Amino acid sequence: MDLTVTNLACARGGVTVLERVSFGLSGGAALILRGPNGIGKTTLLRTVAGLQPAVAGEISMPPEAVAYAAHADGLKATLTVAENLAFWAAIYGTDRAPHAIQRMNLAALADRQAQNLSAGQKRRLGLARLLVTGRPLWVLDEPTVSLDAASVALFAEAVRAHLAEGGAALMATHIDLGLAEAEVLDLAPYRAETPAGAEPADDPFAGVTA
């Protein structure tokens, strides 16, 4: 699994926030994005994941390589934990739901509806979706939000196992996951100059027309 980003520019709300971003990521490796709030970490992740177009540059990776996890957990409230994971496993054509339940310590919650889970439990279930996709590149935006220390450690172990199996991870996180394999990319040198009177909107779809 090889991801190559070359001279990438990306925008938020119609305003370019990052430019000339270049990096590579291979199987077994992790890359952590750093930078102050608002610099464009989420925008870069969304662009790499194919959720919004790049302003310029190239992104090269195998087709259907990405599994993306952002702040939304992507759960169906009235389905149980097991049913939610079975749903996503069917979408991706895998049989990895039981593995995900065990890896993210959800066995005791398997028959509980998602709407009856705590915030941390919902987050663990949302992250468990990564494990059922079978996709090699995990693109993660602050994946440890709402997790306690034990659950952060659980997730870090899941990432390490993914890397050991030849997968890769691109993430924005302020938490030290203890990943010795991870390199860090500081986005400050890639901040685009904002034209006078133009400020990036908080809404990533602002300024986008059909």
Side-chain angles (χ1 to χ4, degrees):
M1 205 307 296
D2 291 306
L3 165 68
T4 303
V5 172
T6 308
N7 292 324
L8 187 70
C10 47
R12 182 173 69 246
V15 178
T16 299
V17 292
L18 294 170
E19 57 188 3
R20 300 186 301 276
V21 180
S22 296
F23 61 87
L25 187 60
S26 299
L31 182 65
I32 297 174
L33 305 179
R34 297 286 195 218
N37 289 339
I39 196 170
K41 296 185 293 293
T42 293
T43 301
L44 176 57
L45 292 175
R46 287 177 54 84
T47 304
V48 170
L51 299 177
Q52 64 183 64
V55 174
E58 296 183 356
I59 301 170
S60 175
M61 73 180 91
E64 298 188 350
V66 174
Y68 177 70
H71 297 176
D73 293 318
L75 306 177
K76 293 186 176 293
T78 58
L79 295 186
T80 66
V81 166
E83 289 168 342
N84 266 282
L85 292 177
F87 170 82
W88 286 108
I91 292 292
Y92 288 98
T94 76
D95 59 357
R96 296 173 61 87
H99 165 74
I101 287 173
Q102 294 301 320
R103 172 66 72 178
M104 295 306 295
N105 194 24
L106 293 166
L109 303 170
D111 295 326
R112 185 176 300 181
Q113 289 182 328
Q115 63 188 358
N116 297 324
L117 300 176
S118 70
Q121 290 166 343
K122 288 179 181 177
R123 192 58 175 164
R124 272 193 285 142
L125 176 55
L127 293 172
R129 291 185 302 127
L130 294 167
L131 281 70
V132 307
T133 65
R135 294 195 168 182
L137 176 59
W138 290 1
V139 177
L140 311 171
D141 191 3
E142 296 296 345
T144 59
V145 170
S146 300
L147 294 184
D148 60 18
S151 295
V152 169
L154 196 68
F155 174 67
E157 182 56 36
V159 174
R160 280 192 289 270
H162 179 64
L163 300 182
E165 293 171 356
L170 173 65
M171 67 186 84
T173 177
H174 297 290
I175 301 296
D176 182 5
L177 296 177
L179 300 174
E181 308 88 341
E183 296 185 3
V184 174
L185 177 64
D186 182 2
L187 293 181
Y190 305 103
R191 188 198 298 266
E193 292 188 12
T194 304
E199 290 294 335
D202 289 334
D203 182 358
F205 297 104
V208 177
T209 57

